[in-house]
Amino acid sequence: MRLHRLAVTAFGPFAEPQEIDFDALSGAGIFLLHGPTGAGKTSVLDAVCYALYGSVPGPRQAPGTSLRSDHAAADTPTEVTLELTAGGRRLEITRRPEQDRPKKRGTGTTKDKAQSWLRERTGEGWEALSRSHQEIGEEIEQLLGMSREQFCQVVLLPQGEFAKFLRADEAARGRLLGRLFDTRRFAAVETLLGERRRAAEAKVRAGDEKVLHTAQRLAQAAGDSADLRAWPMPGHQPGDPGLAGAVRAWAAVARCAARERRTVAEYALAAVEGRYAAARRAAEDARELDRLQRRHAETTRRAALLAEAEPERERVRALLDRARRGALVAPALEMRGAASAAHLAAAHAETAARSELPPMFREAGAEQLAGIERDLRGDLGALGAARRDEQRSAEIGRERADLERESRAAEEAHLESAQWLERWDATRAGLQERADAAQQAATLAEQIAGKLEPARMHLNFARRRDELAAEAERTERELLTLREDSAAARERWLELKEARLRGIAAELAEALVAGEACAVCGCAEHPAPARPAPGHVDRAAEDAAHGVFERAEQARADVERRLAATRQAREEAATAAGDATTAELLDLTSDLSARHAAAHAAAAELHTARERLARAEREHAARSADRLDAERRAAARASRREALDREQASLEEALAQVREGAPTVAARTRLLEDRVRIVSGAATALRRAETTAARLKEADDQLADAAFKAGFDTIEAAAEAVLPDYERTALQHRLDAWQAEEVMLADRLAESDTAAAGALPPAAPEEAENYAARAAAKLRTAGSAFDAARVRCEELDRLSRQAEHELRALGPLREAYDRVARLAGLTAGTSADNERRMRLEAYVLAARLEQVAAAATVRLLRMSGGRYTLVHSDARASGRGRSGLGLHVVDAWTGSERDTATLSGGETFFASLALALGLADVVTDEAGGMRLDTLFIDEGFGSLDDQALDEVLDVLDSLRERDRSVGIVSHVADLRTRVQAQLEVVKQRGGSVVRHRTAALTD
């Protein structure tokens, strides 16, 4: 990284724009930054840091501290611009902090937000990259490979801090090195191992608790089958090594006792099952005898009823036989009925058809009617040509009417066109005037639109300003209420905390256990423990009050942030709205809107007016051409009308002969068609009546033959014997039921066991069932006892397997806990294996410190004339302190090694400067090897004599071998003659200024 140019305006003590050319200063390798106290030397370094990271180093970035110059004019913005090369890229960073500026309109100030710009120089010039604070910060930190803290330690070398570093204890050194080398990941490893140790310990304890819970379930499952006085669990706690053996031994005893009880219950169940089987068989025999006796009685009763129904059976048989014979005649009867109905319908149709015939044809036969039909159809065919002539005559009439309408329409159109052409000049002038007026309105609308949009924007901002002002007032009232609530909640919490501290002895007394040492005094006896006083405040009440206070504080902070955002938005809206009131802006906007709407409405007619003018001109040309064409068409229509009149007269003369008195050929045709239909219908009805009469005679012959064959004397007797299907089916079902009943009763009367049962005394099934029920109850009791014994054995076996599984699973957990505990103790420095009691983070920092000491020694040897060497010490600290971050200096003149805190003032400067340069090299390598071409050294040269100062300058001058430039910030006057390139900061009443000087000019 190399700095090229720095420009500051209204920053720190610099009121006017100041520019520093680092390229000119870096040409000599070493340049001096000097000036009186308070002139602003450190502000130059602050500006570099602010341009890169958006903030200044250390305490100068404290809240309430402003970067703006108090000497600058109110309208001059605070700005810092830095041009540098990093990673082979030429960049320019410009930053402006958040600052107040005067309002553009009215009085007062408004706040401008912080702004940042990042540009990069390419072959085509400066190219803008970003304006986002976050993107620019990430880009710079990635290019430099250093955070702001590392940059301030490595590039802006603060000698005073490294002098403190030499004299600090190991804890302070660890904090500084931890910030520079970011060893948080190693501290995270320590924390992670500690958490894993606690998690593994919790798993082991949970496993022990789980085994104890399973053992308690074993005791519950064993019930009274095991001697609980031998229960070993109350003497064991989680983590007890003897817990596994005690659980296994007691489970074995419980299982043996449960198995013995199951065997006894099994023998008892077998005996009860035998007695129950005998009682069940006796009850079944009694039920069977009772069933047979009731069956015999039912059979005897139904046989008597069947004998009484014998006359009815004979009657049904006779009816069913007559109906079967009648069914043979039924098809012939149906056929004769259908033929009779068809003949009656045909005869009625014949009578109706003959009534429509003319009197001369009513007695004609079928053949005569067919001949008459043929003659009529011939006359119809002759009328086809006459219909065509009649249609042509009608067409001629319609065509003549069309010609008349065309003539009248042409005359009207000719008259209308003539009138329109007479008005043409006035019409054209009016249309042209409307188009010109619309064009002027369009120009006016554009002018008003240019004023209307800014007015609307200012009105929106003014309304936003008023809304935000009202919202800010509401938020201020809300904030006042929340502040009062927060103060009340804090007072309440402090009151409860004080009350709890007064009664804390009672809380400590609750944790006392007889025989265990007190956490306060260490005594194992507790003769008079304190008791909670009335109204005692416990920790839960205090925590609840503290939670209320924290929520009130959070609510207050949220409202404060919202109020700040609202005020800032209000200022921005006020700036954008200007000084005019909302009402004034509303009136202005309304007036411009009305004028713009009127002009826009008038301008909207421009296109329509132009279209109407063009359309009128086209219409004028068309009407002029149509006037000549209309005259030609009128002559053609007169000739056509005369030809049509001659043709129509000839056709009407021929049609009068064909119509024979009918008004039209169509009427004559309809008359002949009606006669054909009547004659044809009469012939068809006559033929159908003759056919149905023949079929009726044939059906009568077939019916007489069928009745004779079925055994009936007359057709009427056969018709009476015919029954519907449902009646025959019902009779057959009754007969079948009687027959089935007869067969069933015969089978039952033939059963020997039923007859034998009927001869025995009545059975008693209820008594046998009661005896069997009592035997079943005893069987259920014995079965329940056996099932309970069996289930207890199974449960004990299952829980024993579960306990064994849990005990086996505890082994790996204990091994994992031991392993993690050893690692956690080793990294935390509490393990006995860690002889030097070094934490992991301290071990890593010790390695970094050793590298820094080696790099610093190279320069310290040269500055001290080969006398001093810095070495890292990992000697174990005394007492309970940690070790690993010791730093000693070796004196080559005496051969002794001593602590760096014993160095004198000048020696301390040597060592701190060498340490700072060495640390810069190590941090640079740690950050990825980013090249640092510009360094600054702040103060410390006043403690050196002339020879030591020459040696230090030689060392700094040697940095030029690596193409570095070093800026020295110092008050030492001797340096002004030794360093040629100088940057002087001059303090003035109106603000400091910077001047580039050389030693020769100074002299």
Side-chain angles (χ1 to χ4, degrees):
M1 181 201 72
R2 176 179 291 278
L3 304 181
H4 298 291
R5 182 180 65 87
L6 174 67
V8 296
T9 302
F11 182 86
F14 305 107
E16 299 297 328
Q18 304 294 318
E19 184 170 337
I20 301 174
D21 187 356
F22 286 110
D23 287 336
L25 294 172
S26 302
I30 301 176
F31 63 90
L32 177 64
L33 176 59
H34 67 93
T37 301
K41 300 184 297 298
T42 306
S43 295
V44 174
L45 308 184
D46 290 347
V48 172
C49 184
Y50 178 74
L52 291 174
Y53 294 96
S55 60
V56 297
R60 294 188 292 278
Q61 189 63 25
T65 304
S66 175
L67 302 178
R68 181 170 176 79
S69 175
D70 297 332
H71 304 282
D75 57 349
T76 302
T78 299
E79 182 177 281
V80 176
T81 300
L82 177 65
E83 188 177 336
L84 73 156
T85 298
R89 300 168 61 185
R90 186 73 172 259
L91 302 174
E92 181 190 77
I93 309 170
T94 302
R95 293 187 187 270
R96 289 184 179 180
E98 184 181 78
Q99 52 192 299
D100 294 330
R101 64 166 176 80
K103 292 183 177 180
K104 294 180 180 179
R105 295 182 179 179
T107 60
T109 61
T110 184
K111 189 177 291 297
D112 282 342
K113 294 183 178 180
Q115 302 180 62
S116 298
W117 296 270
L118 176 62
R119 299 195 304 170
E120 181 177 5
R121 174 175 286 179
T122 61
E124 300 177 357
W126 288 102
E127 177 184 356
L129 297 182
S130 177
R131 296 191 62 176
S132 168
H133 300 303
Q134 182 177 359
E135 291 180 0
I136 295 174
E138 293 175 354
E139 181 76 14
I140 295 302
E141 189 163 342
Q142 183 177 2
L143 282 174
L144 300 183
M146 292 181 289
S147 64
R148 181 177 65 89
E149 291 77 9
Q150 290 176 318
F151 177 84
C152 294
Q153 293 288 346
V154 174
V155 178
L156 311 178
L157 301 179
Q159 295 304 112
E161 289 192 19
F162 282 96
K164 296 178 183 177
F165 182 82
L166 290 173
R167 297 183 174 88
D169 56 10
E170 296 190 9
R173 287 174 185 161
R175 287 192 295 271
L176 176 60
L177 293 174
R179 291 197 306 271
L180 294 177
F181 293 104
D182 192 12
T183 57
R184 289 175 293 180
R185 58 187 183 278
F186 300 104
V189 169
E190 299 175 17
T191 304
L192 177 62
L193 288 175
E195 292 174 353
R196 288 188 176 180
R197 178 185 61 78
R198 289 189 291 273
E201 183 179 4
K203 289 181 179 179
V204 172
R205 182 169 291 276
D208 289 343
E209 294 288 351
K210 192 174 183 181
V211 170
L212 283 175
H213 178 66
T214 303
Q216 292 170 358
R217 292 177 62 190
L218 272 168
Q220 294 174 359
D224 58 353
S225 63
D227 188 0
L228 292 180
R229 291 174 296 176
W231 173 243
M233 293 305 105
H236 295 275
Q237 298 296 331
D240 187 353
L243 178 63
V247 171
R248 289 190 176 101
W250 193 91
V253 173
R255 290 196 302 272
C256 290
R259 290 192 182 99
E260 290 178 359
R261 290 202 170 204
R262 183 185 62 183
T263 303
V264 172
E266 185 177 4
Y267 287 148
L269 177 62
V272 174
E273 284 177 346
R275 291 193 293 273
Y276 171 73
R280 190 75 261 168
R281 286 192 298 271
E284 291 174 356
D285 293 342
R287 283 197 304 273
E288 180 64 18
L289 178 59
D290 179 68
R291 185 185 67 80
L292 292 175
Q293 289 176 345
R294 285 188 282 104
R295 183 183 179 87
H296 182 268
E298 178 67 16
T299 302
T300 303
R301 183 183 65 79
R302 293 173 67 176
L305 293 175
L306 185 62
E308 294 175 358
E310 184 61 28
E312 180 66 16
R313 292 175 64 187
E314 291 299 329
R315 188 185 71 79
V316 171
R317 286 194 188 97
L319 286 174
L320 192 59
D321 179 66
R322 184 178 175 83
R324 289 195 188 100
R325 288 187 292 113
L328 298 175
V329 185
L333 285 171
E334 293 177 358
M335 184 180 297
R336 199 267 177 192
S340 178
H343 178 64
L344 290 175
H348 178 72
E350 179 188 359
T351 302
R354 284 184 180 277
S355 65
E356 294 181 359
L357 290 173
M360 66 184 66
F361 299 140
R362 288 179 181 173
E363 300 299 330
E367 294 297 331
Q368 187 179 0
L369 292 174
I372 295 171
E373 181 182 356
R374 284 193 299 273
D375 294 341
L376 292 173
R377 291 186 182 278
D379 294 341
L380 279 173
L383 292 176
R387 281 197 299 271
R388 289 190 294 273
D389 291 343
E390 188 178 43
Q391 291 174 357
R392 175 58 186 161
S393 178
E395 290 175 358
I396 291 173
R398 289 192 297 272
E399 188 172 353
R400 288 187 75 258
D402 292 341
L403 288 174
E404 293 294 336
R405 285 194 300 272
E406 289 179 3
S407 297
R408 289 193 297 271
E411 291 177 0
E412 294 175 358
H414 178 72
L415 179 60
E416 192 271 336
S417 295
Q419 294 174 352
W420 189 92
L421 290 172
E422 290 177 359
R423 298 191 305 269
W424 165 242
D425 293 334
T427 301
R428 187 179 185 282
L431 293 176
Q432 184 65 45
E433 183 179 356
R434 291 182 62 184
D436 294 341
Q439 179 64 48
Q440 294 175 1
T443 303
L444 179 61
E446 291 179 359
Q447 295 173 354
I448 297 175
K451 301 177 181 179
L452 179 59
E453 188 59 31
R456 286 176 176 172
M457 183 179 66
H458 287 131
L459 176 59
N460 292 334
F461 279 116
R463 288 172 174 170
R464 177 65 175 165
R465 175 193 62 195
D466 297 343
E467 293 173 358
L468 291 173
E471 182 178 354
E473 291 179 1
R474 292 193 299 271
T475 307
E476 288 174 355
R477 292 193 296 270
E478 181 182 358
L479 178 60
L480 180 60
T481 303
L482 290 176
R483 284 174 176 171
E484 293 175 354
D485 294 343
S486 176
R490 185 173 184 277
E491 291 178 2
R492 175 60 179 167
W493 167 53
L494 294 177
E495 289 174 359
L496 293 179
K497 183 178 183 69
E498 184 178 358
R500 179 170 173 258
L501 291 176
R502 289 196 300 267
I504 197 66
E507 289 190 23
L508 296 175
E510 290 179 356
L512 296 178
V513 179
E516 295 185 3
C518 173
V520 178
C521 65
C523 182
E525 296 181 359
H526 319 296
R531 294 289 183 266
H536 173 66
V537 178
D538 56 4
R539 184 176 184 84
E542 180 189 349
D543 292 343
H546 186 259
V548 172
F549 168 63
E550 288 183 340
R551 289 191 294 273
E553 278 292 291
Q554 182 63 37
R556 179 191 60 75
D558 294 341
V559 173
E560 285 181 347
R561 287 192 294 272
R562 193 169 76 238
L563 177 59
T566 303
R567 287 175 174 171
Q568 182 177 357
R570 181 188 61 190
E571 294 298 331
E572 293 175 354
T575 301
D579 299 332
T581 64
T582 304
E584 293 173 351
L585 292 174
L586 181 60
D587 294 340
L588 175 61
T589 305
S590 301
D591 179 60
L592 290 176
S593 298
R595 292 169 56 195
H596 179 265
H600 187 269
E605 296 293 330
L606 176 61
H607 178 72
T608 303
R610 289 177 176 174
E611 286 291 328
R612 288 180 179 176
L613 178 60
R615 188 163 58 248
E617 291 176 347
R618 290 194 298 271
E619 186 176 359
H620 176 264
R623 285 179 181 271
S624 298
D626 290 344
R627 182 169 54 182
L628 298 176
D629 187 55
E631 295 175 355
R632 290 193 297 269
R633 289 197 298 269
R637 281 194 297 271
S639 300
R640 178 62 178 165
R641 187 184 303 110
E642 294 175 359
L644 290 176
D645 290 341
R646 291 191 297 269
E647 183 180 1
Q648 188 176 26
S650 176
L651 291 174
E652 287 296 330
E653 182 179 357
L655 288 173
Q657 299 176 0
V658 175
R659 291 171 181 160
E660 295 183 1
T664 63
V665 176
R668 177 64 179 170
T669 301
R670 287 194 296 273
L671 178 62
L672 292 177
E673 287 176 350
D674 290 340
R675 291 178 180 178
V676 170
R677 178 181 57 77
I678 293 171
V679 171
S680 176
T684 301
L686 181 60
R687 286 192 295 271
R688 186 179 295 112
E690 293 174 352
T691 302
T692 55
R695 289 179 181 175
L696 178 60
K697 184 178 181 304
E698 182 180 358
D700 288 338
D701 295 341
Q702 290 179 357
L703 178 60
D705 184 60
F708 177 75
K709 289 181 180 180
F712 293 102
D713 296 334
T714 62
I715 294 175
E716 289 76 8
E720 292 176 356
V722 176
L723 293 177
D725 290 343
Y726 69 90
E727 291 185 5
R728 288 204 316 272
T729 303
L731 292 174
Q732 184 65 46
H733 286 171
R734 291 183 67 188
L735 193 61
D736 292 343
W738 279 324
Q739 186 175 359
E741 180 79 2
E742 186 177 13
V743 173
M744 185 271 293
L745 292 175
D747 290 341
R748 286 190 178 183
L749 291 174
E751 295 176 354
S752 58
D753 53 350
T754 305
L760 294 175
E766 293 81 2
E767 182 179 352
E769 284 292 339
N770 292 335
Y771 180 75
R774 290 191 296 272
K778 294 180 180 179
L779 178 62
R780 286 194 296 272
T781 302
S784 298
F786 174 72
D787 289 340
R790 178 180 54 79
V791 170
R792 180 180 291 111
C793 289
E794 293 175 354
E795 183 67 11
L796 288 174
D797 291 341
R798 185 185 67 80
L799 291 173
S800 297
R801 291 192 298 271
Q802 180 179 343
E804 185 63 28
H805 175 73
E806 293 170 354
L807 289 171
R808 290 178 180 176
L810 268 176
L813 293 178
R814 291 187 185 278
E815 293 177 0
Y817 168 70
D818 294 339
R819 181 170 58 255
V820 172
R822 287 196 301 272
L823 286 174
L826 187 63
T827 57
T830 59
S831 173
D833 297 332
N834 193 334
E835 297 179 356
R836 299 187 179 277
R837 300 176 58 83
M838 290 179 64
R839 295 172 50 221
L840 178 61
E841 184 181 13
Y843 179 79
V844 175
L845 292 177
R848 293 289 187 268
L849 182 58
E850 188 174 1
Q851 296 175 355
V852 171
T857 297
V858 175
R859 295 181 175 87
L860 182 58
L861 284 172
R862 185 171 180 181
M863 284 188 286
S864 63
R867 179 178 179 183
Y868 294 117
T869 303
L870 283 175
V871 294
H872 161 250
S873 173
D874 58 357
R876 180 169 180 176
S878 59
R880 301 180 61 183
R882 304 294 173 87
S883 56
L885 296 179
L887 189 62
H888 292 177
V889 61
V890 178
D891 190 344
W893 291 2
T894 62
S896 62
E897 179 178 340
R898 52 194 171 97
D899 193 272
T900 53
T902 62
L903 294 173
S904 64
E907 293 170 343
T908 299
F909 176 76
F910 285 155
S912 61
L913 179 58
L915 190 63
L917 295 174
L919 182 63
D921 293 339
V922 174
V923 173
T924 300
D925 295 337
E926 177 74 12
M930 170 59 66
R931 181 182 178 87
L932 301 177
D933 297 321
T934 305
L935 297 175
F936 293 91
I937 300 176
D938 190 1
E939 293 300 344
F941 293 87
S943 60
L944 304 179
D945 55 23
D946 293 341
Q947 182 179 356
L949 184 59
D950 289 337
E951 293 174 351
V952 170
L953 293 178
D954 289 343
V955 172
L956 295 179
D957 191 56
S958 66
L959 296 176
R960 297 175 59 185
E961 299 173 0
R962 300 178 62 180
D963 196 20
R964 283 183 174 179
S965 61
V966 180
I968 301 174
V969 182
S970 178
H971 293 279
V972 179
D974 195 22
L975 287 174
R976 301 178 191 176
T977 60
R978 296 173 181 264
V979 179
Q980 295 182 356
Q982 300 177 14
L983 179 66
E984 182 181 7
V985 182
V986 181
K987 183 166 58 175
Q988 297 178 356
R989 181 178 296 275
S992 299
V993 296
V994 296
R995 297 174 183 173
H996 293 75
R997 296 176 178 273
T998 63
L1001 291 175
T1002 304
D1003 293 339

XYZ file of all heavy atoms in Angstrom, residues 9 114 304 391 580 718 739 935:
53
model
N -10.920 19.051 3.810
C -11.653 20.318 3.833
C -12.526 20.339 5.077
O -13.305 19.395 5.299
C -12.528 20.480 2.578
O -11.699 20.406 1.422
C -13.257 21.819 2.589
N -24.073 10.850 6.083
C -22.696 10.527 5.696
C -22.684 9.964 4.275
O -23.585 9.223 3.883
C -22.093 9.518 6.673
N -100.792 -82.079 12.943
C -102.241 -81.964 13.124
C -102.820 -80.846 12.269
O -103.886 -80.991 11.650
C -102.550 -81.725 14.598
N -92.178 -16.663 -61.256
C -91.059 -16.152 -60.449
C -90.301 -15.073 -61.207
O -89.896 -14.050 -60.628
C -90.117 -17.299 -60.077
C -90.717 -18.292 -59.098
C -89.809 -19.492 -58.865
O -88.746 -19.581 -59.494
N -90.259 -20.402 -57.999
N -41.810 27.622 1.538
C -43.240 27.884 1.368
C -44.059 26.963 2.247
O -43.662 25.832 2.536
C -43.642 27.699 -0.098
N -113.061 -71.470 -22.314
C -111.608 -71.362 -22.321
C -111.165 -69.995 -21.822
O -110.172 -69.856 -21.082
C -111.080 -71.629 -23.730
N -96.721 -79.141 0.395
C -95.957 -80.350 0.088
C -94.638 -80.377 0.858
O -94.238 -81.415 1.397
C -95.705 -80.413 -1.422
C -95.036 -81.713 -1.878
C -94.919 -81.798 -3.388
O -95.354 -80.879 -4.098
N -94.376 -82.884 -3.891
N 4.752 4.317 6.065
C 4.599 4.127 7.499
C 4.715 5.482 8.184
O 5.373 6.403 7.676
C 5.679 3.181 8.049
C 5.694 1.741 7.527
C 6.895 1.000 8.102
C 4.413 1.025 7.884
